[in-house]
Amino acid sequence: MAYDKFNILTSTAVPLSIENVDTDQIIPARFLKATERVGFGDNLFRDWRYNNDDSPKSDFVLNNPTYGGQILVGGRNFGSGSSREHAAWAVYDYGFRCVVSSFFADIFRNNCLNVGVLPVQVSAGFADRIFKAIETDPKTELEVNLPEQTITLKATGEKESFDISGYKKDNMINGFDDIDYLQNIKEEVVAFANELPY
């Protein structure tokens, strides 16, 4: 399944300054029955977003019209807990294309990269500056430059670099998942196979 190509994303951001956000909070277990990667965005942070009667909780950031954008800025240790890939599906399906945190759980990070969500890990100090900038001005924009592997606070020009594997970087720039990548190099694979002795 191909995803949106990711090159340079400039967007406002939604601040979720809660630490240790686990995958059960991102997408509760009762919503894991579906196997297609659509519809999960409706239940992203379900128990934090809605009351028992399905009315929105006004104090949760995703229900606050002040904030919006394609970037979610999370607290430290984002995506911990179970390895459910549905958490990354929910983030993508909601409309986020990038999650920023000072630390990600490894499995969640990899699941995001597999579905077209860029996890950008920054220093704790830079994360704090992002949160403060958004608190001061909710229209604050971030620029996430995947080719250069940098994230910039547009208002001040403050910038940090982030790490990503070359393989995943190339896939995201091209909008590939793992199958798309293999299909893209099919001729090379066939040529190599033909050179092998029988």
Side-chain angles (χ1 to χ4, degrees), residues 122-156:
V122 298
S123 67
F126 195 72
D128 286 342
R129 289 195 289 278
I130 292 173
F131 280 122
K132 288 175 183 175
I134 298 171
E135 181 181 354
T136 301
D137 179 12
K139 299 301 181 185
T140 291
E141 288 188 325
L142 298 173
E143 179 190 89
V144 181
N145 186 319
L146 180 54
E148 298 294 326
Q149 295 178 216
T150 59
I151 178 170
T152 305
L153 266 167
K154 294 282 285 181
T156 64

Side-chain angles (χ1 to χ4, degrees), residues 9-123:
L9 172 64
T10 301
S11 175
T12 52
V14 176
L16 184 67
S17 57
I18 302 173
E19 295 190 352
N20 305 312
V21 174
D22 66 36
T23 53
D24 193 54
Q25 292 157 335
I26 296 172
I27 184 74
R30 64 187 182 277
F31 298 111
L32 304 187
K33 296 176 183 178
T35 56
E36 294 186 3
R37 299 176 182 179
V38 294
F40 288 96
D42 293 340
N43 294 308
L44 178 68
F45 299 116
R46 178 75 191 195
D47 294 335
W48 288 350
R49 281 170 70 190
Y50 298 101
N51 295 301
N52 291 335
D53 62 359
D54 292 333
S55 61
K57 294 181 179 180
S58 59
D59 60 347
F60 186 61
V61 68
L62 263 62
N63 296 327
N64 187 339
T66 302
Y67 303 104
Q70 292 182 291
I71 300 172
L72 174 65
V73 184
R76 179 174 174 78
N77 196 26
F78 193 90
S80 58
S82 75
S83 60
R84 66 190 67 167
E85 57 189 338
H86 303 71
W89 297 356
V91 170
Y92 181 91
D93 193 61
Y94 184 84
F96 290 120
R97 293 298 172 264
C98 177
V99 181
V100 180
S101 175
S102 59
F103 183 80
F104 289 99
D106 286 341
I107 295 175
F108 176 79
R109 180 208 302 268
N110 289 330
N111 286 340
C112 281
L113 289 168
N114 287 338
V115 300
V117 175
L118 180 63
V120 173
Q121 186 164 316
V122 298
S123 67

